[in-house]
Amino acid sequence: MAAFSMPRWVGAVTMAESAGFLIPVAGFAISAITGLPVGWAWLLIVVCGAGEGALLGLGQAVALRGTSWQVPTARWVPATAVGAMIAWSLGMAPSSLVDLRVDIDFGNPLTWIVAGAGAVALLISIPSAQYVVLRNRIPHAWQWIPVNAAAWTVGLVFTFLPGPFIDESTPGITMAVAFVLAGICMAATVAVVTGLWLRSRPVLAEPALQS
């Protein structure tokens, strides 16, 4: 079995997540162009999120394949897709509620408690789903959850950076380039942080056969 390769992990995960991120971006574009109702737009983005998660999971599985702790692709990819669906469903909830003209009382402390809990759930959704697969393969695998939460917290910041500089008058190509670059920065951040953690982990035992 080969040793874990940081360059291979960062390269594969960055490419996979960058490509995957374009799926929800395309979903937003389709929703805007077709004028989908709020509920259908929310559902479209959630489904697109599953596509993003599947590509991310596949990239991660490929990066670990042949190493001393490869993960079973047939379980890892669906788990990541489900986690991503949950993340997007939570992430889209606030804007969807606003579009539905739901009255949200931001002066109520309970609103902030619910929002905070939702944010935490969003950040841990993907690694929690992956933990189910990872838990018997790496000592202290539960650490995968907070490590990913920290990585995504930093990485997601990049996706908000184009917002203040983009509006309805922004040329389509400029908008596309801005979000592609933001997606790449987000993906690279997550890849580097999680890769550093993986590189530091000992392996429990020989891995199961790749599914």
Side-chain angles (χ1 to χ4, degrees):
M1 289 289 179
F4 173 78
S5 170
M6 185 71 174
R8 178 181 175 185
W9 172 266
V10 172
V13 174
T14 299
M15 287 191 294
E17 172 55 25
S18 297
F21 182 64
L22 295 179
I23 301 177
V25 170
F28 279 114
I30 293 172
S31 176
I33 292 172
T34 60
L36 283 177
V38 176
W40 286 107
W42 177 86
L43 181 60
L44 173 62
I45 301 303
V46 170
V47 172
C48 288
E52 177 189 6
L55 281 184
L56 171 61
L58 181 60
Q60 292 173 328
V62 168
L64 294 175
R65 186 173 297 161
T67 68
S68 54
W69 47 359
Q70 62 187 13
V71 293
T73 304
R75 293 178 59 201
W76 187 262
V77 172
T80 310
V82 169
M85 286 182 68
I86 296 173
W88 276 103
S89 67
L90 292 170
M92 287 292 295
S95 60
S96 297
L97 290 174
V98 170
D99 290 341
L100 288 171
R101 298 180 180 177
V102 174
D103 185 21
I104 302 175
D105 182 8
F106 290 102
N108 188 336
L110 182 60
T111 299
W112 292 100
I113 293 174
V114 172
V120 172
L122 184 156
L123 291 171
I124 68 172
S125 57
I126 292 178
S128 294
Q130 293 176 327
Y131 167 76
V132 175
V133 181
L134 202 62
R135 60 187 175 182
N136 294 323
R137 308 196 56 76
I138 302 175
H140 308 296
W142 63 268
Q143 296 176 7
W144 180 248
I145 298 174
V147 166
N148 269 268
W152 283 105
T153 297
V154 178
L156 286 170
V157 171
F158 291 103
T159 65
F160 296 109
L161 293 182
F165 309 100
I166 289 176
D167 55 29
E168 292 80 2
S169 63
T170 304
I173 185 65
T174 302
M175 188 179 300
V177 170
F179 280 105
V180 166
L181 291 176
I184 292 173
C185 291
M186 174 188 69
T189 299
V190 173
V192 170
V193 174
T194 54
L196 289 172
W197 183 82
L198 282 169
R199 189 174 63 177
S200 70
R201 296 296 92 192
V203 179
L204 275 175
E206 290 297 311
L209 292 176
Q210 188 79 2
S211 298

